């Protein structure tokens, strides 16, 4: 990501996102937004700087856990203690509680995509474990457990669709609930030898994933856990594999842990006051960009899957200032502009070698190469980044070629 000019570090675990990196990030965000909207979650945004008082109400401030040690604290000019949000259960309960009184407002699902800060002891692997990172965090509120579990399952299925659309296979495993708390939870892991986590699961899980047969109950029938939950005794009779994984998502059924701690009360159908049931659901958006590259690269660089490629085409003009090469390049730009297709035009004055290796590094799926010799005959070279396959096209055929994609 550094070599491709996607990010630059400004301090340990804190990165600038440069234009190419930011485009990749927003492709991932778009897919997440669509799938969250499909399960009727609405997007909102709570502040990144929050008063500590909220976190004292829930009891998470000052508790002895990772999250507390990772909180970045500060004071405003009046001496009020503030934090930069590492997650947002408190702020969300606060804002939802202030606008709802009756069961008629529920169930209710909301999410945000926002920068979180966790003062990790050892930030590492670039955006995989950074201190500032982009997270999609969703929260749901319900009047009873059954309803909460239905949404939990909806989110589980939505997450699998998100990873699938990103071209990734993410394995869901039962997880311990850590500093977020709650009754139970699942993590989603992309298999990769460089992953920081170890997961254990029955081999039949892979088949179920492939056939899109994952439901909450099918997951409960199968042994699939992250390392903190792993119990070798329980697995003796089972066919278990252990794999390295990158955790790209984590969902929690919270019960009324937060609504109770923060005294959120809602009037139910029978008139009684209840602390709503909740779930919370996270996806590491910036970590996913790293995980995508981890899963899609070769020795030359990135190979973006079509669904998330920051651009679909890169035009390589190998001879800038040659009238014919410039003319053909402009023609391609015009055709792509007309169709509203995203592309990058390399019109820099570097030699072909630099242009080729840079294009390979950036990993844009299709390279449109305009060199002196072909240009004289009104021809362009179309090269597939993944397979390396090259096709020579007459410029007049380019429109048809686009139609055939
Ligand atoms: P980890 O075990 O990796 O520290 P976590 O359990 O602390 O993760 P959650 O609180 O569940 O993470 O956050 C939701 C998601 O945010 C995670 O699944 C992960 O993808 C992402 N995430 C968490 N911490 C980081 C980080 N330091 N850098 C990038 N992404 C992160
Ligand atoms: Mg953590």
């Amino acid at each position: 990501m550094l070599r491709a000019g996607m990010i630059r570090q400004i301090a340990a675990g804190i990165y600038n996102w440069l234009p190419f990196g930011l485009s990749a990030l927003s492709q991932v965000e778009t897919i997440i937004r669509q799938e969250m909207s499909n399960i009727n979650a609405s997007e909102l945004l709570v502040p990144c700087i929050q008063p500590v008082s909220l976190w004292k109400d829930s009891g998470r401030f000052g508790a002895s856990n990772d999250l507390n040690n990772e909180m970045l604290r500060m004071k405003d000019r009046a001496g009020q203690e503030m934090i930069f949000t590492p997650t947002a259960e408190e702020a969300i309960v606060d804002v939802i509680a202030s606008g709802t009184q009756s069961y008629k407002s529920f169930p209710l699902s909301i999410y945000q995509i926002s920068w979180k800060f966790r003062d990790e002891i050892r930030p590492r692997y670039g955006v995989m474990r950074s201190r500032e990172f982009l997270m999609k965090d969703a929260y749901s509120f319900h009047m009873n457990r059954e309803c909460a579990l239905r949404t939990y399952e909806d989110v589980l299925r939505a997450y699998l669709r998100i990873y699938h659309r990103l071209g990734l296979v993410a394995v869901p495993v039962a997880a311990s609930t850590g500093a977020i708390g709650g009754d139970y939870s699942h993590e989603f892991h992309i298999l990769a030898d460089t992953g920081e986590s170890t997961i254990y699961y029955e081999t039949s899980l892979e088949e179920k994933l492939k056939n899109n047969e994952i439901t909450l109950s099918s997951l409960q029938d199968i042994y699939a856990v992250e390392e903190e939950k792993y119990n070798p005794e329980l697995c003796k009779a089972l066919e278990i594999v252990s794999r390295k994984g990158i955790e790209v998502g984590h969902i929690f059924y919270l019960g009324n842990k937060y609504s109770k701690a923060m005294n959120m009360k809602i009037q139910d159908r029978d008139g009684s006051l209840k602390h709503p049931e909740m779930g919370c659901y996270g996806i590491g958006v910036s970590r996913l960009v790293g995980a995508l590259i981890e899963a899609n690269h070769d020795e030359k660089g990135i190979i973006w899957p079509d669904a998330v490629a920051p651009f679909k085409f890169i035009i390589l003009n190998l001879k800038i200032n040659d009238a014919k090469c410039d003319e053909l390049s402009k023609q391609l730009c015009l055709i792509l502009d007309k169709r509203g297709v995203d592309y990058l035009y390399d019109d820099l004055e570097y030699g072909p070698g630099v242009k080729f290796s840079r294009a390979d590094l950036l990993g844009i799926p299709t390279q449109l190469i305009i060199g002196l010799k072909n240009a004289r005959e009104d021809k362009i070279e179309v090269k597939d980044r993944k397979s390396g396959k090259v096709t020579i096209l007459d410029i007049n055929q380019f429109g048809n070629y686009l139609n055939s994609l």
Side-chain angles (χ1 to χ4, degrees):
M1 291 178 75
L2 288 167
R3 280 173 54 211
M6 296 177 70
I7 54 169
R8 287 274 182 283
Q9 185 169 296
I10 188 170
I14 308 182
Y15 292 89
N16 296 291
W17 283 79
L18 304 184
F20 192 66
L22 193 60
S23 309
L25 201 57
S26 43
Q27 302 287 331
V28 176
E29 286 180 49
T30 300
I31 291 180
I32 293 176
R33 286 200 168 91
Q34 289 169 350
E35 294 299 336
M36 292 312 290
S37 168
N38 278 346
I39 56 168
N40 297 325
S42 308
E43 186 170 4
L44 55 33
L45 195 55
V46 302
C48 52
I49 310 282
Q50 302 176 357
V52 152
S53 53
L54 272 182
W55 293 72
K56 288 186 174 159
D57 292 347
S58 74
R60 281 209 285 188
F61 188 80
S64 60
N65 57 37
D66 282 352
L67 196 69
N68 185 58
N69 300 331
E70 289 168 1
M71 276 179 201
L72 184 69
R73 292 139 212 249
M74 63 199 97
K75 280 192 179 147
D76 67 11
R77 64 166 79 193
Q80 292 286 341
E81 289 180 288
M82 314 287 249
I83 61 156
F84 196 109
T85 181
T87 170
E89 284 76 12
E90 285 78 357
I92 295 285
V93 170
D94 182 64
V95 70
I96 298 298
S98 73
T100 50
Q101 280 110 39
S102 127
Y103 70 94
K104 290 175 188 158
S105 297
F106 299 90
L108 186 159
S109 298
I110 36 129
Y111 73 98
Q112 61 171 350
I113 297 183
S114 72
W115 293 93
K116 307 293 190 293
F117 194 96
R118 293 184 185 174
D119 204 353
E120 301 269 357
I121 302 187
R122 254 175 297 133
R124 54 189 183 277
Y125 311 129
V127 302
M128 296 284 206
R129 184 167 299 282
S130 46
R131 293 197 296 167
E132 192 193 42
F133 60 96
L134 191 63
M135 194 205 284
K136 188 285 300 176
D137 42 327
Y139 306 84
S140 68
F141 293 81
H142 313 265
M143 294 312 291
N144 59 60
R145 179 186 165 95
E146 293 66 42
C147 181
L149 287 179
R150 271 200 301 278
T151 296
Y152 185 93
E153 176 157 11
D154 284 347
V155 177
L156 180 106
R157 307 260 313 155
Y159 275 28
L160 292 174
R161 275 196 300 277
I162 289 169
Y163 302 126
H164 179 75
R165 284 183 61 188
L166 292 171
L168 296 168
V169 179
V171 181
V173 297
S176 55
T177 49
I180 308 282
D183 280 7
Y184 63 90
S185 80
H186 286 90
E187 288 177 357
F188 298 79
H189 288 263
I190 309 285
L191 303 183
D193 295 336
T194 52
E196 283 189 276
S197 325
T198 309
I199 56 173
Y200 300 83
Y201 57 89
E202 282 183 68
T203 47
S204 58
L205 180 57
E206 286 183 4
E207 199 59 29
K208 280 207 157 59
L209 270 172
K210 213 181 282 162
N211 299 335
N212 190 22
E213 289 167 0
I214 303 287
T215 59
L216 194 49
S217 76
S218 77
L219 266 185
Q220 275 155 349
D221 292 340
I222 216 168
Y223 193 82
V225 296
E226 47 95 31
E227 57 198 301
E228 279 176 58
K229 282 211 140 191
Y230 177 57
N231 178 351
E233 287 304 309
L234 286 177
C235 307
K236 277 191 176 137
L238 304 171
E239 204 181 310
I240 299 280
V241 286
S242 106
R243 294 268 187 275
K244 288 280 175 205
I246 302 169
E247 182 197 320
V248 290
H250 200 164
I251 59 179
F252 301 81
Y253 164 59
L254 297 168
N256 64 10
K257 176 181 157 154
Y258 290 89
S259 57
K260 193 169 171 192
M262 299 185 68
N263 203 27
M264 172 182 186
K265 282 190 191 141
I266 301 295
Q267 189 164 50
D268 208 347
R269 206 175 282 273
D270 61 6
S272 66
L273 288 176
K274 274 191 184 154
H275 302 299
E277 297 272 312
M278 286 178 66
C280 74
Y281 319 92
I283 288 188
V285 186
S286 47
R287 181 180 285 183
L288 260 175
V289 174
L292 273 163
I293 296 174
E294 200 58 37
N296 299 284
H297 71 274
D298 61 14
E299 66 291 344
K300 295 183 196 148
I302 308 168
I303 305 174
W304 289 108
D306 282 331
V308 279
F311 302 93
K312 304 299 169 216
F313 296 96
I314 180 167
I315 302 172
L316 301 179
N317 181 344
L318 299 186
K319 197 70 191 167
I320 300 295
N321 296 330
D322 171 82
K324 192 68 194 179
C325 288
D326 287 359
E327 183 203 314
L328 281 195
S329 302
K330 294 266 158 59
Q331 245 176 294
L332 287 184
C333 291
L334 219 66
I335 297 171
L336 292 169
D337 278 339
K338 266 205 192 128
R339 299 199 178 207
V341 178
D342 281 336
Y343 63 92
L344 205 68
Y345 176 26
D346 180 354
D347 62 352
L348 302 174
E349 280 190 46
Y350 291 94
V354 173
K355 286 188 186 246
F356 287 139
S357 56
R358 234 185 233 170
D360 284 347
L361 175 62
L362 295 184
I364 295 166
T366 307
Q367 302 171 2
L368 305 173
I369 302 164
I370 305 191
L372 268 181
K373 195 162 151 274
N374 281 329
R376 296 275 171 271
E377 299 166 14
D378 284 316
K379 288 191 159 67
I380 61 165
E381 222 175 275
V382 180
K383 184 172 173 190
D384 182 63
R385 167 64 180 90
K386 189 168 187 183
S387 64
K389 196 179 149 229
V390 173
T391 326
I392 310 266
L393 275 189
D394 198 283
I395 184 82
N396 299 325
Q397 296 172 316
F398 186 62
N400 286 342
Y401 159 80
L402 287 179
N403 292 340
S404 74
L405 295 182

